[in-house]
Amino acid sequence: MSSECCKTGFNWTATPTGTETTITASLTTPSSTINTYVTGSSKTAALLMIHDIFGWTFSNLRILADQFAEELGVTVFLPDFFDGEVVDPSTLEDPVKREKFNIPEFIGRNSKEIRFPAMEAVARKLKQDYGKVATIGYCYGAWACLQLSALTTSPTSTSPTPLIAATSIAHPSLLTPAELDAVRSPLQIIAPEHDPAFTPDLKKYANEVVPTLGVAYEYIYFPGLTHGFAAKGDRGDEAQRKGLEKARRDAVGFLGEFL
């Protein structure tokens, strides 16, 4: 995972319209209460958004959540999967803060092994409450979407049903070939041309393997754009603005087929 590409970008100027609440979910007893940004009013379909390293309070992701709620007609949940740790969004545009932000140490505190149990618990809770649940993940959140895509509603069933209706991931980081191998539900990958986190070898692997898994698959390539553009791109730059808006529309189109 390249440190610099994950902690650079632009803050968007808009005001999120959802609310902060909590969601109670657990794979074991006792259950955990997780802070969550919620937007939308559907009672039958939910979208679980898994954040990048800037976490659940990152305004850009909340703005996207509001747009997904409106355009997909679903309820969107953006939970805090960093257990209260928040990265100051001004880090994106402040070279001093970027220099001080140690991503390897941050990932160590928020490793897959530490954070995935809560992600699975929330996904299962949303499945129980809404019937249909899809996922979308940016950067750090993408690996979690793939791991959720490998799960079934009942592991002991002779005819297992995927837990997740569909997933979309944008400029993923920390991805492994094994996570791509295990995908069980429809998958969309939003891939910029320049991305040290989602390498050419991983892109090639995804496009060779996922089409053999028997799931709907869509790979969308954004020439000239870089890692982070879909969630942190510069809206003042025409090429980036067009790219990030297309990435959102593409995600809406793909996920909407399955929700």
Side-chain angles (χ1 to χ4, degrees):
M1 179 177 182
S2 173
S3 297
E4 285 306 312
C5 69
C6 293
K7 57 186 179 181
T8 57
F10 297 83
N11 289 293
W12 300 343
T13 56
T15 302
T17 58
T19 59
E20 291 186 4
T21 184
T22 58
I23 186 169
T24 301
S26 182
L27 296 176
T28 60
T29 303
S31 59
S32 298
T33 300
I34 300 171
N35 288 323
T36 306
Y37 178 79
V38 180
T39 180
S41 58
S42 173
K43 304 298 184 184
T44 58
L47 176 63
L48 172 58
M49 178 180 285
I50 305 183
H51 50 67
D52 64 5
I53 60 174
F54 285 87
W56 79 294
T57 60
F58 186 30
S59 182
N60 290 15
L61 291 188
R62 293 187 174 197
I63 292 165
L64 284 169
D66 292 342
Q67 292 172 318
F68 286 131
E70 179 180 354
E71 295 171 19
L72 279 168
V74 301
T75 300
V76 182
F77 292 80
L78 175 58
D80 172 18
F81 289 127
F82 290 156
D83 197 24
E85 183 171 6
V86 172
V87 177
D88 185 344
S90 67
T91 303
L92 284 172
E93 299 163 355
D94 187 328
V96 175
K97 290 181 179 179
R98 286 202 305 271
E99 180 67 25
K100 292 180 178 179
F101 181 23
N102 188 309
I103 286 188
E105 290 182 0
F106 179 88
I107 296 300
R109 296 191 298 273
N110 297 285
S111 67
K112 297 181 180 183
E113 294 75 17
I114 292 171
R115 298 306 177 200
F116 187 71
M119 297 168 177
E120 179 180 351
V122 169
R124 292 194 181 279
K125 173 66 172 172
L126 295 180
K127 177 67 175 177
Q128 174 185 321
D129 291 349
Y130 287 83
K132 287 185 178 180
V133 56
T135 60
I136 187 164
Y138 295 88
C139 189
Y140 173 95
W143 65 264
C145 289
L146 289 195
Q147 289 200 20
L148 290 172
S149 178
L151 300 179
T152 59
T153 55
S154 175
T156 60
S157 172
T158 56
S159 301
T161 301
L163 176 66
I164 302 302
T167 193
S168 174
I169 59 174
H171 33 76
S173 63
L174 303 175
L175 232 56
T176 68
E179 288 165 342
L180 288 163
D181 292 342
V183 167
R184 287 177 179 261
S185 55
L187 172 65
Q188 178 191 64
I189 299 178
I190 293 169
E193 178 180 3
H194 307 292
D195 193 339
F198 190 39
T199 65
D201 284 346
L202 270 175
K203 290 174 180 174
K204 182 174 183 289
Y205 189 87
N207 286 323
E208 289 176 347
V209 170
V210 180
T212 72
L213 301 179
V215 299
Y217 177 55
E218 184 172 83
Y219 179 91
I220 307 177
Y221 176 71
F222 289 80
L225 295 183
T226 62
H227 180 90
F229 81 95
K232 298 176 291 188
D234 182 1
R235 284 179 156 181
D237 177 90
E238 184 178 11
Q240 293 186 54
R241 178 184 56 77
K242 287 182 176 180
L244 65 88
E245 289 178 354
K246 182 179 186 304
R248 189 194 75 249
R249 292 195 305 270
D250 289 339
V252 167
F254 184 79
L255 296 173
E257 294 183 28
F258 307 99
L259 287 172

